[in-house]
Amino acid sequence: GQSLEQPSEVTAVEGAIVQINCTYQTSGFYGLSWYQQHDGGAPTFLSYNALDGLEETGRFSSFLSRSDSYGYLLLQELQMKDSASYFCAVTLQGGKLIFGQGTELSVKP
Amino acid sequence: GAVVSQHPSRVICKSGTSVKIECRSLDFQATTMFWYRQFPKKSLMLMATSNEGSKATYEQGVEKDKFLINHASLTLSTLTVTSAHPEDSSFYICSASQGQGNQPQHFGDGTRLSIL
């Protein structure tokens, strides 16, 4: 079977740094993606790691260790607008995505 | 950047109605598109892979006669929910990738389907 584990919820304050972890067990792996979803909206692509290491895009960074089947999303200088659900997703052969259950991030003033 | 457009954004209709949802890649060609379903406060579940010019590939437990998928061109895939019932009410989202299939997916804005 396919499974991805991530925390169900995380709370942090404005300006802080937060890390959302994701571990996966899948048959096949081409990459790990992160998506942001606000209430009522569609997922927005944040980052993609196909190789081990850190990818940085502005305030967001994503890390992957394929040997550990582990990755994380790092959000820096948190803003209120970052309050949303964050999903990790594994890309399987053919491009289809298997999603984690999502982490609800609440940013407090 | 890659843009995926989905229409309509919201549908409310009576039980027994068939509903068609369109997914278009606006600035790139997509030989493969994907359809997902999401219930409130839940994750996205892959329903099927839409392949241009051939039959869709459905995930286990998804009724192919219930959810008809047509991918008639490199920029358009449609999902038709046939004889919809209240339990089909959900958020339906399509995605496509630019280039080869293992590239990151970009999602449409989703269709919120409510069956009365």
Side-chain angles (χ1 to χ4, degrees):
Chain A
Q2 325 276 20
S3 69
L4 285 84
E5 298 289 332
Q6 56 181 124
S8 58
E9 54 186 35
V10 173
T11 302
V13 296
E14 266 188 305
I17 299 172
V18 73
Q19 179 173 313
I20 300 174
N21 298 320
C22 176
T23 57
Y24 57 89
Q25 281 188 310
T26 57
S27 53
F29 176 90
Y30 284 86
L32 184 71
S33 302
W34 289 91
Y35 289 86
Q36 179 192 63
Q37 187 179 33
H38 285 97
D39 269 351
T44 302
F45 172 75
L46 293 177
S47 69
Y48 176 72
N49 293 68
L51 302 175
D52 287 356
L54 189 69
E55 293 282 343
E56 297 181 76
T57 309
R59 294 189 296 116
F60 295 172
S61 303
S62 59
F63 172 83
L64 174 66
S65 169
R66 288 176 299 171
S67 59
D68 295 323
S69 298
Y70 164 76
Y72 66 72
L73 178 70
L74 190 74
L75 297 88
Q76 303 182 73
E77 301 171 21
L78 280 176
Q79 302 174 9
M80 297 295 290
K81 67 177 182 179
D82 296 330
S83 293
S85 292
Y86 292 83
F87 293 90
C88 59
V90 166
T91 299
L92 302 179
Q93 186 174 6
K96 64 181 184 181
L97 291 173
I98 302 298
F99 282 84
Q101 292 303 304
T103 299
E104 188 168 349
L105 172 63
S106 298
V107 180
K108 307 293 185 184
Chain B
V3 177
V4 176
S5 173
Q6 191 171 336
H7 178 81
S9 58
R10 186 174 185 92
V11 180
I12 302 173
C13 57
K14 294 181 179 180
S15 185
T17 307
S18 291
V19 178
K20 180 186 283 189
I21 303 169
E22 294 186 348
C23 179
R24 294 181 185 273
S25 55
L26 295 185
D27 55 358
F28 65 98
Q29 294 183 330
T31 55
T32 304
M33 293 183 176
F34 301 91
W35 288 95
Y36 297 82
R37 181 175 181 175
Q38 185 180 33
F39 292 106
K41 301 295 184 184
K42 298 294 184 182
S43 187
L44 287 82
M45 298 299 296
L46 179 66
M47 298 175 66
T49 302
S50 175
N51 305 299
E52 189 268 335
S54 65
K55 291 183 179 180
T57 305
Y58 290 82
E59 295 300 302
Q60 191 172 7
V62 178
E63 299 175 60
K64 59 181 67 176
D65 295 331
K66 175 74 170 176
F67 300 101
L68 300 180
I69 291 172
N70 184 273
H71 195 150
S73 78
L74 285 170
T75 58
L76 174 64
S77 174
T78 61
L79 168 69
T80 302
V81 184
T82 62
S83 188
H85 293 282
E87 58 266 29
D88 298 322
S89 298
S90 188
F91 191 46
Y92 292 87
I93 317 170
C94 69
S95 74
S97 68
Q98 194 169 8
Q100 295 302 308
N102 297 332
Q103 294 300 310
Q105 296 288 320
H106 295 272
F107 285 82
D109 289 335
T111 298
R112 194 160 302 282
L113 176 62
S114 300
I115 307 298
L116 305 177

